[in-house]
Amino acid sequence: MEPKTGSIVNYYVIDTSMSKTATKKLTQEQALQLAINELAEIAPAGTGELLLLQPGEYDESTNQYAFHFVRQEQGKDSLVYTLPGLFDVKIDALTGEIYSSGSTE
């Protein structure tokens, strides 16, 4: 307030209806589909089959889903999972934005 005239110079509106913590809007299934779409973009050609290691862990502190995929190859007698073929994708649970993605290759 202006001291001499008493007129309002500045004011703030506080929205008490908004939660102070982020809340997820995407379901785990929606986030998984976004992660798969991202993998289709970032995985090198000839990557082969990828196996989902974890079903999309939700981290409340960051409001993100984390998906971890590993490359799966046919070995001599069984399937082989190669850690140099590990892909991580993190999805913002509120916006669906890809927070980070990448491979260990």
Side-chain angles (χ1 to χ4, degrees):
M1 193 176 288
E2 172 66 40
K4 293 183 181 179
T5 64
S7 63
I8 297 175
V9 177
N10 198 0
Y11 68 94
Y12 299 95
V13 176
I14 299 174
D15 185 357
T16 58
S17 66
M18 292 181 63
S19 172
K20 291 185 181 189
T21 60
T23 36
K24 60 183 173 178
K25 287 190 175 182
L26 292 176
T27 65
Q28 184 180 33
E29 292 79 19
Q30 291 169 322
L32 176 58
Q33 187 58 52
L34 290 171
I36 290 169
N37 293 345
E38 176 68 7
L39 280 177
E41 295 290 321
I42 67 167
T47 297
E49 293 186 36
L50 295 173
L51 174 70
L52 177 62
L53 292 178
Q54 298 171 345
E57 295 177 343
Y58 174 70
D59 184 348
E60 191 174 325
S61 66
T62 61
N63 199 37
Q64 294 176 352
Y65 287 102
F67 296 93
H68 308 287
F69 297 86
V70 67
R71 186 184 332 199
Q72 173 176 287
E73 298 175 358
Q74 183 67 42
K76 183 177 177 185
D77 296 322
S78 63
L79 290 175
V80 177
Y81 304 104
T82 58
L83 288 181
L86 182 66
F87 292 87
D88 292 320
V89 180
K90 292 184 181 176
I91 309 281
D92 185 298
L94 186 61
T95 65
E97 189 174 331
I98 306 300
Y99 182 73
S100 69
S101 61
S103 168
T104 57
E105 293 185 314

